[in-house]
Amino acid sequence: MLKTIAVSNEKGGVAKTTTTLSLGAALVELGNRVLLIDLDAQANLTLALGFEPGENENTSSSVMLDNVALLDARKKTDVEKLDLIPSSSRIEISEQFLPVRTGYTTILQKAIQTGNLPYDYIILDCPPALGAITKNALAASDLLLIPTQAEYFSAYALRNMMSLIRNIREQDNPNLAYRILVTMLDRRNRTHRNIHEQLRSTFGEGVFNTVIEMDTKLRESPIAGLPITHYKPGARGSTQYRVLAQELMEYAKETEDRQAA
Ligand SMILES: Nc1ncnc2c1ncn2[C@@H]1O[C@H](COP(=O)(O)OP(=O)(O)O)[C@@H](O)[C@H]1O
Ligand SMILES: [Mg+2]
C-alpha cells in the first residue's frame, strides 16, 4: 500500500528538506521505490538532487495549477528507485490563485489517488508556511512528519500546526496522523535535553523514538548533489536517518495491520 508523508513545519531551517531527502534515500536502501515532491518555491530539494529549478518543463506547480499528471512531471535522480518532482519559483503563485477555486485543498490528494503511481512511499517537502500548498499536502497524506529543533520557539510553533491538523481532519482527511521528529539535537546542550523531554511528555507516542543529531556532513551532501546515505554512508546522519526509515516502516506496517483487523 502506498504511503504518503508530508514533511512540514511553518518554521524554516528545521530540516524539512534534509529529512525529505535523507529519509527518502534511506527508504530506498530498505528496498522501497520512493517519489519525492518538492513543493517549496525555494526549490532546495530540487537543487540538492542536482537539478536547476528553471530548466524543467513540468514541475510541482504544473501539477497544482495546470492539472499535469504526477508521472508526467517526474524526473529520475542519480539514485536508483528515487524519483523527484522538481519545484520552481512558480509554485508560489499557487498560494494566491488556488484559494479562489472550489475544492482547492484536495488537488494533490486527487492527483495521487488517480495517479497510478509505481511507488511505495511519496514524501512531500512543504514550504515554511501553513497556506494552500501545505493544506494540499496534509489533505493528501497518511502521515504528517513535523521536524522540529529542541528550541523553545520551535516547540511553541507546534501549536499552529496542531490546530491545522484538526482542521484538515474535519474537512479533507479524517485519518491524518502526525509524528514529531526532533532534529539537529546537541546532546551536550541542557536546554535541548530538557525540551526534548518536554516534547516527549507532552506528545507521548506523537514523537518519533529516533532523533537526528547535529552532523555537518548533512550540510555538505547537497553540494555533492547526493543524499547523505550515498554521499557519506558511514556518517552519523546516515545511520540516524536509516533508523528513522526503519521506525517509519514498522509504524506503516502496524497501521496497515490495524486497518485490516
Ligand atoms: N542534523 C543536522 N545537523 C547539521 N545541520 C543540519 C542538520 N539537518 C539540517 N541541517 C542544515 O540546516 C539547514 C536547514 O535545513 P533544511 O533541511 O534546509 O531546513 P528547512 O527545509 O526546514 O528549511 C541546512 O543548511 C541543512 O544542511
Ligand atoms: Mg526546505
Side-chain angles (χ1 to χ4, degrees):
M1 201 176 84
L2 174 69
K3 287 271 159 201
T4 304
I5 302 161
V7 180
S8 170
N9 188 323
E10 70 178 311
K11 267 182 79 72
V14 294
K16 291 184 290 296
T17 301
T18 304
T19 297
T20 303
L21 180 57
S22 313
L23 174 63
L27 284 167
V28 166
E29 278 189 350
L30 292 171
N32 299 287
R33 294 156 304 172
V34 178
L35 175 66
L36 308 179
I37 306 183
D38 190 348
L39 292 171
D40 187 2
Q42 304 286 318
N44 289 347
L45 177 64
T46 302
L47 287 161
L49 280 162
F51 293 95
E52 271 306 317
E55 78 186 7
N56 306 292
E57 193 191 334
N58 285 329
T59 60
S60 54
S61 63
S62 324
V63 175
M64 297 305 299
L65 294 164
D66 317 321
N67 259 319
V68 167
L70 285 165
L71 289 183
D72 292 332
R74 130 189 98 155
K75 296 267 181 191
K76 301 245 164 267
T77 74
D78 288 343
V79 178
E80 215 186 324
K81 291 192 192 161
L82 184 71
D83 292 350
L84 170 75
I85 294 185
S87 183
S88 73
S89 55
R90 187 169 170 253
I91 189 86
E92 202 136 59
I93 67 173
S94 316
E95 297 291 355
Q96 228 180 311
F97 286 102
L98 287 183
V100 300
R101 302 189 189 171
T102 43
Y104 79 93
T105 52
T106 51
I107 294 171
L108 190 57
Q109 184 190 71
K110 291 192 181 111
I112 291 174
Q113 278 169 2
T114 60
N116 212 353
L117 302 168
Y119 297 100
D120 301 299
Y121 288 91
I122 298 182
I123 312 182
L124 311 171
D125 188 19
C126 294
L130 303 182
I133 294 289
T134 298
K135 284 182 190 160
N136 263 273
L138 268 53
S141 294
D142 302 292
L143 179 72
L144 161 63
L145 189 162
I146 313 167
T148 188
Q149 284 180 272
E151 308 275 354
Y152 176 68
F153 292 125
S154 304
Y156 191 81
L158 292 175
R159 290 176 173 211
N160 290 339
M161 193 50 119
M162 293 301 141
S163 82
L164 181 61
I165 294 171
R166 278 194 291 276
N167 242 304
I168 300 283
R169 280 177 179 162
E170 275 163 27
Q171 282 163 22
D172 298 319
N173 186 2
N175 295 321
L176 178 66
Y178 75 86
R179 284 278 186 286
I180 294 163
L181 174 69
V182 174
T183 59
M184 297 188 231
L185 186 78
D186 177 358
R187 288 194 198 275
R188 291 163 308 179
N189 180 317
R190 183 201 295 265
T191 312
H192 276 197
R193 291 201 307 267
N194 287 346
I195 291 183
H196 184 206
E197 246 341 286
Q198 261 173 36
L199 285 171
R200 294 180 69 103
S201 60
T202 308
F203 293 98
E205 283 246 297
V207 183
F208 276 111
N209 290 324
T210 311
V211 297
I212 308 297
E213 290 177 67
M214 284 288 187
D215 183 352
T216 50
K217 296 283 185 298
L218 281 163
R219 292 182 202 266
E220 298 165 14
S221 76
I223 303 165
L226 283 172
I228 180 87
T229 45
H230 289 67
Y231 169 67
K232 286 280 182 286
R236 173 153 80 177
S238 296
T239 308
Q240 290 180 338
Y241 274 108
R242 280 188 198 109
V243 176
L244 177 66
Q246 265 152 5
E247 188 178 350
L248 187 79
M249 284 179 73
E250 277 160 34
Y251 165 81
K253 188 168 182 314
E254 276 167 27
T255 324
E256 252 173 63
D257 292 349
R258 216 177 312 130
Q259 281 165 356

